[in-house]
């Protein structure tokens, strides 16, 4: 009878220890999985804002062209709004990549190119308002800056996509561990 009681106590103690270990491992795995999911979402947000910078600049160019062709002041408000939104998207990217030195270096270049592009867009409007004649040189300069801006954004997006792949892989790994830990804990 004593042996039976002793074996029962040992079995109960071992089961309890396994349950505690399994629960702790599951908790850690779930916490890591949630952190990985957060990082995946963060990277997706950076990619979205990088795309927004280019989209807002294209909107600014379209509004500028509308104004240049028609001299209709109604195009100025969408132009200014698009420029403001491009700057806000840049600020978001700059803030979200603060922990990434490589992306921060690219942000310095991106900011410079963005401001040069906006300057040229506004300069063309100002020239049109003053002289009514625009030299194609300004349009070429604007196109060159937009191409450089696009290259910088694409490089930053590539870096973010590589981070996204790494983070998604980590998320999948933790998801797999979590599932097995929960199943193993349930069986035991």
């Amino acid at each position: 009878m004593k042996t039976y009681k002793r074996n029962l106590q040992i079995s109960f103690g071992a089961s309890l220890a396994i349950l505690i270990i399994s629960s702790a491992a599951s908790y850690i795995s779930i916490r890591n999985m949630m952190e990985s999911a957060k990082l995946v979402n963060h990277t997706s947000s950076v990619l979205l804002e990088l795309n927004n910078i280019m989209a807002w600049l294209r909107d600014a160019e379209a509004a500028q062209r509308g104004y240049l062709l028609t001299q209709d002041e109604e195009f100025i408000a969408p132009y200014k709004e698009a420029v403001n939104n491009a700057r806000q998207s840049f600020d978001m990217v700059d803030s979200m990549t603060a922990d990434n030195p490589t992306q921060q270096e690219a942000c310095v270049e991106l900011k410079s190119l963005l401001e040069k592009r906006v300057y040229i867009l506004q300069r063309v409007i100002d020239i049109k308002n003053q002289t009514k004649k625009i030299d194609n040189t300004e349009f070429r300069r604007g196109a060159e800056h937009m191409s450089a801006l696009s290259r910088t954004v694409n490089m930053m997006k590539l870096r973010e996509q590589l981070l996204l792949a790494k983070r998604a892989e980590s998320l999948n790994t933790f998801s797999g561990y979590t599932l097995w830990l929960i199943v193993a804990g349930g069986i035991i």
Side-chain angles (χ1 to χ4, degrees), residues 172-188:
N172 289 336
T173 300
F174 286 122
S175 296
Y177 289 154
T178 302
L179 176 63
W180 286 111
L181 286 170
I182 290 171
V183 168
I187 290 172
I188 294 172

Side-chain angles (χ1 to χ4, degrees), residues 8 22 24-25 38 44 51 55-57 70 76 84 89 153 158 186-187:
L8 189 59
S22 174
K38 194 167 105 179
S44 295
N51 285 330
W56 287 120
L57 283 175
T70 65
I76 295 298
N84 185 48
S89 287
V153 164
L158 178 62
I187 290 172

Side-chain angles (χ1 to χ4, degrees), residues 5-186:
K5 199 174 192 181
R6 177 84 175 133
N7 285 343
L8 189 59
Q9 288 174 336
I10 290 172
S11 296
F12 178 75
S15 294
L16 186 60
I18 290 171
L19 181 62
I20 290 170
I21 291 169
S22 174
S23 295
S26 293
Y27 171 77
I28 291 168
S29 185
I30 289 170
R31 196 177 73 211
N32 287 338
M33 185 176 71
M34 290 172 55
E35 183 61 28
S36 291
K38 194 167 105 179
L39 290 172
V40 166
N41 288 338
H42 173 83
T43 302
S44 295
S45 295
V46 172
L47 288 168
L48 175 68
E49 291 304 327
L50 285 167
N51 285 330
N52 284 345
I53 291 170
M54 296 306 294
W56 287 120
L57 283 175
R58 284 190 292 276
D59 287 353
E61 287 177 334
Q64 179 216 42
R65 278 191 302 275
Y67 176 74
L68 294 176
L69 291 171
T70 65
Q71 296 279 201
D72 186 344
E73 292 289 326
E74 284 187 29
F75 287 100
I76 295 298
Y79 160 76
K80 288 181 178 180
E81 180 182 357
V83 167
N84 185 48
N85 289 337
R87 286 177 171 146
Q88 287 177 356
S89 287
F90 168 80
D91 290 342
M92 291 291 294
V93 168
D94 190 41
S95 171
M96 289 187 290
T97 60
D99 62 339
N100 186 329
T102 305
Q103 291 293 63
Q104 281 295 287
E105 285 178 28
C107 277
V108 170
E109 181 181 354
L110 182 60
K111 177 71 170 177
S112 173
L113 291 168
L114 172 64
E115 292 306 322
K116 285 177 185 173
R117 182 64 188 122
V118 169
Y119 172 79
I120 292 169
L121 286 168
Q122 186 60 50
R123 180 168 160 71
V124 169
I125 289 172
D126 294 343
I127 290 170
K128 179 72 172 179
N129 287 338
Q130 292 169 1
T131 66
K132 305 286 184 208
K133 185 176 180 191
I134 302 167
D135 185 0
N136 284 341
T137 306
E138 293 299 323
F139 288 114
R140 280 190 216 101
R141 280 184 53 218
E144 289 169 6
H145 278 88
M146 192 65 165
S147 292
L149 217 149
S150 182
R151 283 190 301 273
T152 300
V153 164
N154 286 337
M155 182 54 69
M156 291 179 76
K157 284 169 52 177
L158 178 62
R159 287 186 197 117
E160 289 298 320
Q161 288 164 344
L162 291 172
L163 267 175
L164 181 61
K166 233 187 267 185
R167 290 171 174 174
E169 183 181 330
S170 176
L171 176 61
N172 289 336
T173 300
F174 286 122
S175 296
Y177 289 154
T178 302
L179 176 63
W180 286 111
L181 286 170
I182 290 171
V183 168

